[in-house]
Amino acid sequence: MNPDASDAPSSNASPGSVEPEVFGAAKAGAAALSLPAPTDAELDAIVSAYGAMTHDLRIFMSGVEQYIGENPSLVVNGHRLVHSSKSRLKDPAHLRAKVIRKAAEGKSITIDDFYTKVTDLAGVRILHLFQEHFSEIDSVIRRKVDEGDWFLAERPKAYTWDPEAVAYFHRFDLEVSEKSTSYTSIHYLVKPRADSKLCCEVQVRTLFEEIWGEVDHQINYPVPTLNVSLREQIKVLSKIVGAGSRLLDSLQRVQQAN
């Protein structure tokens, strides 16, 4: 669950394999660099080590999802600020493919560091209706960190293409990044403690942003489309999503004023 590509949400990650052409293309790219392509034995070792972590990862991930998604402080006037949530563990086949892809880019991932370099082994997605509700969700996460129950592996990041959203996110303790891909989401890397190998990526976004993300995922994952028409239309969709989110916020303000 990263800003460029994420696994489809699933609570049951099972062993698998990527298509041969994916392996072939990635390994061919890696061969052109000084960094050697990972061997099958190295890939198997990484996937095996990941498999040994999945029990603890799933328990931690489930706790993170429940704490945020079912938090009573996120119920205001009988309305839940969190619309819905979902979680997944990274598919082993996608982990293998990512290690190969990173090697092709000259970036090494080994059995000794995969759990720090692949930060979305466990992922939780929190969805809400109105942008202004993000502040309450952010407060819940940071309160858990302040109490010492969670640790942030890095400063949380806000990705967006929208200048208005950039201004909004700068009000919080976030590293704000404008994405040319039209992606919008806030990411937290949560660990149970600083020295733990367990890490859960928490994504927070509106329902409109989730629609764009799901469509973009189908079109651009694992390989970005080269179809010019699709690329242009996905940009148009992002503008519609932005307008829809602002309209929802306007509707809420009018309702609150009555």
Side-chain angles (χ1 to χ4, degrees), residues 79 102 132 207:
H79 296 286
K102 292 301 181 181
E132 69 177 42
L207 279 174

Side-chain angles (χ1 to χ4, degrees), residues 13-129:
S14 57
S17 59
V18 297
E19 295 298 322
E21 59 265 29
V22 175
F23 275 97
K27 288 186 176 180
L33 302 173
S34 59
L35 186 66
T39 66
D40 288 339
E42 290 170 331
L43 292 170
D44 289 342
I46 291 173
V47 170
S48 178
Y50 168 55
M53 295 173 59
T54 54
H55 176 71
D56 289 345
L57 265 175
R58 182 178 288 110
I59 291 174
F60 180 59
M61 175 186 72
S62 297
V64 170
E65 180 181 11
Q66 291 175 14
Y67 181 80
I68 303 172
E70 302 174 11
N71 199 294
S73 66
L74 294 177
V75 179
V76 179
N77 297 325
H79 296 286
R80 291 170 51 87
L81 303 191
V82 173
H83 175 275
S84 55
S85 66
K86 51 187 174 181
S87 60
R88 67 99 180 101
L89 291 178
K90 197 171 190 67
D91 190 305
H94 294 170
L95 175 59
R96 291 177 70 98
K98 186 165 190 172
V99 173
I100 294 172
R101 189 166 64 249
K102 292 301 181 181
E105 298 170 0
K107 301 174 183 177
S108 173
I109 297 177
T110 71
I111 191 173
D112 297 318
D113 62 15
F114 74 92
Y115 50 85
T116 59
K117 291 185 176 180
V118 183
T119 57
D120 63 341
L121 294 175
V124 168
R125 190 169 295 162
I126 302 296
L127 305 177
H128 57 104
L129 274 175

Side-chain angles (χ1 to χ4, degrees), residues 1-14:
M1 299 175 76
N2 58 53
D4 300 309
S6 61
D7 297 315
S10 170
S11 60
N12 297 309
S14 57

